Amino acid sequence: MTDQRLIPPCLHDLDVSAWDAGLYLARCRFRPEQLRDNAFQLARVPEPDTLSGAIAKRRCEYLAGRVCAATAGQALTGERLLPALGKDRAPLWPAPLVGAITHSHGRAAALVGHRDQWQGLGLDYEAWLAPRRALRLAGEILTEQERQALQGLDEAEQARRITLTFSVKESLFKALYPLTGRRFYFQDAALDGEDRIRLLTTLSADWRQGEILPYQRRDEEAGVLSWIRVPA
């Protein structure tokens, strides 16, 4: 259990649960307006130099993500292990952990597992996009085939589909970037059916164009949570 004395006032509703075999998910909410100067010290989270001078929202979401990561890792291993911040801003997970962090619209979460079970993990939460904004972003997020698949849906259904696609592609990036070291973008993958995503470009010798990965999702009132697991 997380020591409540380590949770600064800007974080609340911290919860951790067994998510799947060998996986734990920790979630919390955060309020940047309640961030205080001692928040990082109180939570025992080192504040990276790159956050020096950053706005409260950026600092608070980083803190929330690291607290979730430490909470999930502790539930899994019994040790409080924190991922460092890499030069590319991606989390550097300490052995024996692998994981992913997400934060958006006042919500943060971390999915953590053992490296002997999982090569990579991806996790992303997105608030449901409003229909007009979703349609404006569709050309950036969706491939031509994905845009064609929107035909026949009303605006609300289209917005939810675009939001889901956004989330799953973010989860895919978080799962595969640490394994390939190569950045890729929204047009480099496409949803393939209701529970799979397909690579449209080759990232490495192990991750080639046409590779398919299953994804999972949880629809919530305010948004969608998606995650991808890459078995070891």
Side-chain angles (χ1 to χ4, degrees):
M1 297 293 291
T2 299
D3 188 338
Q4 296 299 309
R5 294 172 297 180
L6 302 179
I7 303 175
C10 59
L11 308 184
H12 62 105
D13 295 342
L14 178 63
D15 177 70
V16 62
S17 58
W19 202 242
D20 206 334
L23 292 175
Y24 276 85
L25 180 85
R27 304 183 73 175
C28 76
R29 297 193 181 195
F30 58 91
R31 301 187 183 102
E33 68 275 10
Q34 294 187 3
L35 180 70
R36 301 293 179 262
D37 290 340
N38 68 341
F40 281 81
Q41 182 179 5
L42 181 62
R44 293 193 299 166
V45 173
E47 185 171 10
D49 293 340
T50 53
L51 287 183
S52 177
I55 62 173
K57 175 181 177 295
R58 177 72 188 98
R59 296 176 67 218
C60 197
E61 65 188 14
Y62 178 92
L63 177 63
R66 273 359 190 233
V67 167
C68 286
T71 302
Q74 187 167 13
L76 184 70
T77 67
E79 297 183 73
R80 191 176 187 275
L81 302 172
L82 277 167
L85 184 65
K87 293 181 180 179
D88 54 6
R89 303 177 68 88
L92 295 176
W93 294 89
L97 302 181
V98 63
I101 296 172
T102 184
H103 38 68
S104 176
H105 290 76
R107 291 171 168 82
L111 183 65
V112 177
H114 275 288
R115 289 184 184 176
D116 59 359
Q117 291 180 267
W118 310 102
Q119 289 185 62
L121 295 170
L123 177 74
D124 187 72
Y125 173 82
E126 296 295 336
W128 295 118
L129 293 168
R132 288 186 179 180
R133 183 160 187 261
L135 292 174
R136 285 199 303 270
L137 293 173
E140 176 185 345
I141 298 169
L142 274 58
T143 65
E144 178 60 32
Q145 185 175 0
E146 288 172 324
R147 290 197 298 271
Q148 291 177 3
L150 295 178
Q151 296 179 8
L153 303 179
D154 63 31
E155 280 194 349
E157 291 171 328
Q158 288 180 352
R160 289 175 77 89
R161 185 68 179 180
I162 293 167
T163 307
L164 171 66
T165 305
F166 191 167
S167 181
V168 174
K169 290 184 178 183
E170 288 287 336
S171 288
L172 181 71
F173 181 85
K174 292 176 185 179
L176 295 188
Y177 175 68
L179 300 180
T180 65
R182 178 175 168 183
R183 292 193 172 274
F184 57 100
Y185 305 95
F186 291 119
Q187 301 297 320
D188 293 326
L191 297 194
D192 188 337
E194 292 302 315
D195 58 2
R196 308 189 311 172
I197 186 165
R198 180 190 300 270
L199 280 177
L200 301 180
T201 190
T202 295
L203 303 177
S204 70
D206 294 326
W207 295 97
R208 296 184 173 277
Q209 180 180 354
E211 190 80 30
I212 293 174
L213 276 169
Y215 70 83
Q216 292 176 277
R217 62 186 282 189
R218 175 176 287 185
D219 291 355
E220 301 180 349
E221 182 178 355
V224 60
L225 186 74
S226 71
W227 61 100
I228 288 176
R229 304 165 301 167
V230 183

